[in-house]
């Protein structure tokens, strides 16, 4: 069963999480849900569809302020990757944390106009298990680390500290926070989790095949077919 919203702007407040939909945002709900472990080929039965034309997921401003470190993870299924397409962008220009695609997958931090990049040049999203992949980004204010399906793929350290989740003004999944010619994400996301700590490689791998309940220690945001919560 699918619900389609065309040329309509609508916001839902989901226990503190603001889901912003524009111009054809699709929320696909598949009947017969059972709580099976997630794999790359078997996401949960309720996923977020991004149409690549203005649809995105937004968290309330400043909801991640004060955390000394964060880990952002999600199951992602890109259908089209364009110019600097965003997995997520936290913060605004000159003070932000970004994960995106532009020929390759990359994570970068912009702090005071100084940008540090980390690239994974062999990232082919649709070659793995029907297109579903798991991405995780760890940011601790001194460095960032990127994981693909639980394996480390990029890492970069800063000489000077930065804000782990940007300036707090905006938190977007699937869209850049400042517009321009950057193409919106077209595809699906599921089991979006944000933690207020650095997750180790082992912790990320252990979480790949598990559904985690709201209330899990250090879990500050959770969006899946069961729960839409923000601490």
């Amino acid at each position: 069963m699918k619900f389609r919203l065309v040329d309509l702007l609508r916001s839902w407040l989901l226990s503190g999480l603001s889901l912003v939909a524009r111009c054809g945002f699709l929320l696909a709900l598949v009947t017969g849900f059972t709580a099976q472990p997630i794999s790359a080929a078997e996401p949960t039965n309720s996923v977020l569809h991004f149409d690549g034309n203005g649809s995105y997921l937004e968290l309330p401003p400043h909801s991640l302020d004060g955390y000394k470190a964060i880990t952002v993870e999600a199951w992602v299924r890109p259908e089209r990757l364009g110019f600097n397409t965003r997995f997520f962008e936290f913060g605004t220009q000159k003070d932000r944390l970004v994960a995106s695609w532009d020929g390759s997958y990359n994570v970068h931090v912009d702090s005071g106009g100084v940008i540090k990049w980390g690239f994974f040049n062999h990232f082919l999203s649709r070659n793995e298990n029907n297109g579903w992949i798991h991405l995780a980004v760890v940011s601790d204010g001194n460095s960032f680390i990127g994981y693909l399906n639980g394996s480390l793929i990029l890492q970069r350290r800063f000489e000077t500290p930065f804000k782990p989740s940007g300036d707090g003004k905006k938190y977007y999944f699937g869209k850049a926070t400042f517009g321009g010619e950057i193409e919106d994400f077209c595809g699906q996301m599921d089991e979006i989790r944000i933690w207020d700590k650095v997750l180790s490689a082992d912790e990320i791998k252990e979480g790949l095949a598990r559904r985690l309940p709201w209330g899990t220690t250090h879990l500050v945001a959770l969006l899946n077919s069961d729960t839409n919560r923000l601490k």
Side-chain angles (χ1 to χ4, degrees):
M1 179 171 60
K2 293 184 180 180
F3 297 91
R4 183 169 181 84
L5 304 177
V6 181
D7 298 323
L8 180 65
L9 172 62
R10 185 173 295 174
S11 298
W12 294 267
L13 185 63
L14 302 174
S15 301
L17 190 66
S18 178
L19 183 61
V20 180
R22 292 181 180 174
C23 304
F25 182 84
L26 296 179
L27 177 59
L29 302 174
V30 182
T31 58
F33 170 75
T34 55
Q36 298 294 326
I38 305 169
S39 70
E42 296 178 321
T44 59
N45 288 340
S46 178
V47 299
L48 295 176
H49 290 246
F50 298 77
D51 67 3
N53 188 28
S55 60
Y56 62 102
L57 176 69
E58 180 182 14
L59 277 64
H62 302 291
S63 55
L64 302 179
D65 285 359
Y67 296 135
K68 295 181 180 180
I70 63 167
T71 299
V72 182
E73 57 174 339
W75 287 99
V76 181
R77 187 174 188 265
E79 296 174 4
R80 183 187 73 239
L81 295 175
F83 176 69
N84 277 329
T85 299
R86 283 350 191 205
F87 166 30
F88 70 84
E89 182 164 340
F90 292 175
T92 55
Q93 282 186 295
K94 297 186 178 181
D95 197 353
R96 58 191 168 132
L97 172 69
V98 182
S100 63
W101 294 268
D102 187 15
S104 62
Y105 175 69
N106 70 81
V107 176
H108 69 271
V109 164
D110 187 342
S111 180
V114 178
I115 303 177
K116 288 295 179 75
W117 298 81
F119 292 95
F120 184 64
N121 293 319
H122 306 288
F123 183 69
L124 300 175
S125 63
R126 296 189 66 81
N127 284 0
E128 299 192 32
N129 294 316
N130 199 30
W132 279 102
I133 55 174
H134 183 273
L135 295 175
V137 176
V138 178
S139 172
D140 67 4
N142 294 294
S143 63
F144 59 77
I145 305 173
Y147 294 89
L148 169 64
N149 294 333
S151 297
L152 190 150
I153 57 171
L154 57 87
Q155 187 171 15
R156 191 71 189 268
R157 175 166 289 275
F158 256 52
E159 291 76 20
T160 56
F162 60 90
K163 295 178 182 178
S165 54
D167 60 20
K169 295 179 181 178
K170 296 179 179 179
Y171 306 107
Y172 287 177
F173 286 88
K175 185 179 180 67
T177 61
F178 61 90
E181 297 181 356
I182 294 173
E183 294 184 41
D184 296 337
F185 177 78
C186 181
Q188 300 168 308
M189 295 188 195
D190 189 26
E191 194 67 15
I192 297 172
R193 307 170 185 165
I194 303 177
W195 306 79
D196 65 354
K197 60 168 286 188
V198 170
L199 288 189
S200 67
D202 287 342
E203 288 175 314
I204 291 171
K205 289 178 181 178
E206 289 172 2
L208 292 180
R210 291 193 297 147
R211 298 291 300 278
L212 298 177
W214 180 246
T216 300
T217 304
H218 295 292
L219 186 62
V220 297
L222 177 63
L223 178 63
N224 60 28
S225 57
D226 294 329
T227 305
N228 302 290
R229 300 293 296 271
L230 179 69
K231 188 174 181 181

